[in-house]
Amino acid sequence: MRGKTVMFVGDSLGRNQFESLICMILAANPQTQTQMNRAMPLSTFKFLEYGVSISYFRAPFLVDVDVMQGKRIVKLDDIAGNGNAWRMADVLVFNTGHWWGHEGSLRGWDLIQSGGKYYQDMDRLVAMEKGLRTWANWVDSNVDITRTRVFFQSASPDHYNKRVQDALLRPHLGTGPMSLTKSPNEWSAAATATTAKNCYGETEPMKGTTYTSTYADQMGVVNEVIREMHVPTYLMDITMLSELRKDGHPSIYRGDFSPSQRANPQKSADCSHWCLPGLPDTWNELFYTVLFY
């Protein structure tokens, strides 16, 4: 990998994996010289001795998001702005998922642009498919397969109790295919409606391998889009193995949480991102294996 660049592109779960990979490489050679350039939307960590760069480009929808007259517009047919930053990478790892289902204050847009028209909202699965097809067309048109390898990582699940999370964070999200939170019976046997509001206090993974993914509809879209691409794109399906790890989130122990946030785990616990060291290290072990073997 001397002289090469690995770039993660997507939402903050991509950043989670980016940070994990940096830590794992540093653990193997803690004395090596490094340099960190942190900016928005592109952050890059360089291993100077080897000329290796590990980058993260924030693009939660992959497609472009522009601001016009103070309104954020997700442009489902346009990716040129973001794509210009990806062209020279030797390894590209894309992800998207969480942001297509957000509602209320968590929603990442004011308008959606598609086919020359503007919408206040649309079926989220339809919007995601349109965005992914724009991304796939960009990859097929711009990636040099003699130089660059392309990966797509499936959705990383959160672990919020469905009834409470819908009430607190996603007040308008329905129970259809994009309702991606967990139901109460997916928690520990001792959990009750008042104690199992999210991942707070969870210390054991779920058991077994027959867990049904709540991201099945998203995965269906991802599989179909990738199957129709011309550029070989390796799908790293980490969804189910991650869904079993309800114990692996920062919960109230994020370093940037205030005392008042830590005192209110039912509302504040982070059950979306993952602790490091932790589950993203497993993603990277799988990524490493696919990349080199």
Side-chain angles (χ1 to χ4, degrees):
M1 294 298 290
R2 273 187 190 274
K4 294 186 178 182
T5 296
V6 177
M7 181 178 290
F8 294 90
V9 180
D11 59 28
S12 55
L13 281 307
R15 187 188 67 218
N16 228 172
Q17 187 175 6
F18 157 76
E19 293 169 342
S20 162
L21 185 59
I22 291 171
C23 292
M24 294 175 79
I25 297 173
L26 276 174
N29 191 352
Q31 303 305 317
T32 191
Q33 286 189 307
T34 63
Q35 181 183 75
M36 178 68 174
N37 297 310
R38 188 183 298 274
M40 182 62 75
L42 178 64
S43 296
T44 301
F45 193 97
K46 296 182 178 181
F47 294 88
L48 301 178
E49 180 182 350
Y50 304 97
V52 172
S53 296
I54 313 292
S55 297
Y56 165 66
F57 186 95
R58 185 182 183 276
F61 302 102
L62 299 182
V63 294
D64 292 346
V65 179
D66 289 343
V67 178
M68 297 176 60
Q69 299 180 344
K71 293 187 179 296
R72 302 161 300 169
I73 302 174
V74 176
K75 306 177 80 172
L76 298 182
D77 306 321
D78 195 351
I79 202 169
N82 287 343
N84 285 333
W86 313 336
R87 292 178 184 273
M88 302 308 293
D90 300 282
V91 179
L92 285 164
V93 185
F94 294 96
N95 88 291
T96 188
H98 281 208
W99 284 68
W100 296 101
H102 284 348
E103 281 288 356
S105 62
L106 298 180
R107 197 170 76 169
W109 72 83
D110 300 298
L111 294 171
I112 298 173
Q113 184 182 33
S114 177
K117 298 180 179 180
Y118 292 92
Y119 304 88
Q120 289 189 334
D121 207 346
M122 67 167 59
D123 183 291
R124 302 304 178 77
L125 208 58
V126 171
M128 180 179 176
E129 181 175 358
K130 288 176 179 287
L132 279 177
R133 293 197 179 279
T134 299
W135 161 79
N137 289 336
W138 182 92
V139 171
D140 283 342
S141 301
N142 292 277
V143 166
D144 179 357
I145 61 174
T146 65
R147 171 188 173 174
T148 302
R149 295 184 63 182
V150 181
F151 297 82
F152 189 97
Q153 180 142 299
S154 67
S156 164
D158 60 29
H159 287 91
Y160 294 101
N161 178 290
K162 182 182 185 305
R163 288 178 297 179
V164 176
Q165 179 68 352
D166 282 357
L168 291 175
L169 297 180
R170 301 175 184 176
H172 307 295
L173 191 60
T175 56
M178 293 302 289
S179 184
L180 303 179
T181 45
K182 304 292 177 285
S183 59
N185 62 0
E186 293 165 7
W187 302 102
S188 61
T192 68
T194 57
T195 60
K197 296 182 186 294
N198 51 39
C199 63
Y200 175 70
E202 295 291 335
T203 59
E204 296 289 338
M206 297 179 191
K207 301 294 192 296
T209 57
T210 58
Y211 184 66
T212 302
S213 172
T214 54
Y215 287 80
D217 296 292
Q218 276 196 1
M219 286 300 299
V221 170
V222 169
N223 277 309
E224 181 180 346
V225 170
I226 290 179
R227 188 168 54 246
E228 296 175 2
M229 293 173 68
H230 301 298
V231 169
T233 300
Y234 191 97
L235 175 60
M236 295 190 296
D237 186 353
I238 53 83
T239 303
M240 180 175 172
L241 71 88
S242 304
E243 281 189 311
L244 298 175
R245 291 301 310 276
K246 60 184 169 66
D247 60 316
H249 298 284
S251 183
I252 62 170
Y253 302 105
R254 282 178 48 149
D256 57 351
F257 271 14
S258 67
S260 61
Q261 286 175 306
R262 291 179 178 171
N264 190 0
Q266 286 74 26
K267 186 174 182 179
S268 301
D270 181 352
C271 302
S272 177
H273 302 100
W274 302 93
C275 295
L276 294 178
L279 180 65
D281 300 340
T282 298
W283 303 346
N284 278 322
E285 288 182 357
L286 296 171
F287 171 50
Y288 179 91
T289 302
V290 174
L291 185 62
F292 292 112
Y293 297 99

